[in-house]
Structures are given as structure tokens and as C-alpha cells.
Amino acid sequence: MSDLFKKAISLGWGLTMVSKEKVEKVVDELVNRGELAPDESKALVNRLIERGEEEQSQFKSVINDQVKKILHEINVPTTSDVTNLEQRIAVLEQRISELEAPQAVQEAPQVE
């Protein structure tokens, strides 16, 4: 039984890259060799798939954290940084436009 447990653990670790069909195939092989009871096969497949999804989620979380850390370390601006700068630029452009407007009226040639 410990050999079966080792196989299940190994299979569980690899589920982030393995399809459900491949998991079912391996479990069916275990049933055919008599290492697993047929009535336990569906439950094992479900547990392994669930565990694989959990591990995949954890893996994605770790990768996301690492990417964020690296981007922060190399000073890549965040979306909110860019948005804040865009808003500041828009305000400055508006102020420049307002300041230039009276000059344009004063500089316009007068028609007599």
C-alpha cells in the first residue's frame, strides 16, 4: 500500500501539467494491476485532480509574487502609478490651456 501511496503522491505533484485523462489512465492501470480497488478509482482521481488544482493555484500565487517582487526591484511602474501620472498630466495640460487662452486673445490681430 505504501507503493500505491508514493505513486499517488508523485501523480499528485505532477498534476499541474497532466490532464484529467492522463490521471484516469494511470489510475485505470493501477486498477487493472490490482493495486487499487475499482470502487476507489473514481475517488482517487477526484482527490488527485483536486490536489493538482490546489497545487497549481499555489504555484501561480508564488509566481505572481515573484514577478511583482522583481518588477518592484527594477522599478517598473505599476498600473496605478501610470494612471496617477496620466491624471496629473491631464490637469497640467488643462492649466496650460487655460493660461495660454488669454494670451491668444491678446495676440490676435484686431480688425478695424
Side-chain angles (χ1 to χ4, degrees), residues 17-29:
M17 308 247 180
V18 176
S19 69
K20 183 178 179 182
E21 292 78 23
K22 289 183 181 181
V23 171
E24 289 171 340
K25 182 179 176 183
V26 170
V27 171
D28 286 343
E29 289 175 12

Side-chain angles (χ1 to χ4, degrees), residues 4 12 14 21-22 24 27 31 37 45 49 57 60-61 65 69 80 82 85 92 97 106:
L4 173 61
E21 292 78 23
K22 289 183 181 181
E24 289 171 340
V27 171
V31 170
V45 168
I49 294 296
S57 176
K60 284 180 181 179
S61 179
D65 291 344
K69 180 181 174 185
S80 64
V82 173
L85 288 173
L92 291 173
S97 177
Q106 292 174 359

Side-chain angles (χ1 to χ4, degrees), residues 90-105:
V91 168
L92 291 173
E93 287 174 337
Q94 180 64 37
R95 290 177 75 186
I96 289 170
S97 177
E98 290 170 359
L99 291 172
E100 289 177 342
Q103 289 178 347
V105 172

Side-chain angles (χ1 to χ4, degrees), residues 37-55:
D39 58 334
E40 296 175 339
S41 66
K42 180 122 178 120
L44 179 60
V45 168
N46 290 337
R47 282 195 312 262
L48 292 173
I49 294 296
E50 184 179 305
R51 179 158 181 193
E53 289 171 352
E54 290 171 4
E55 289 177 8

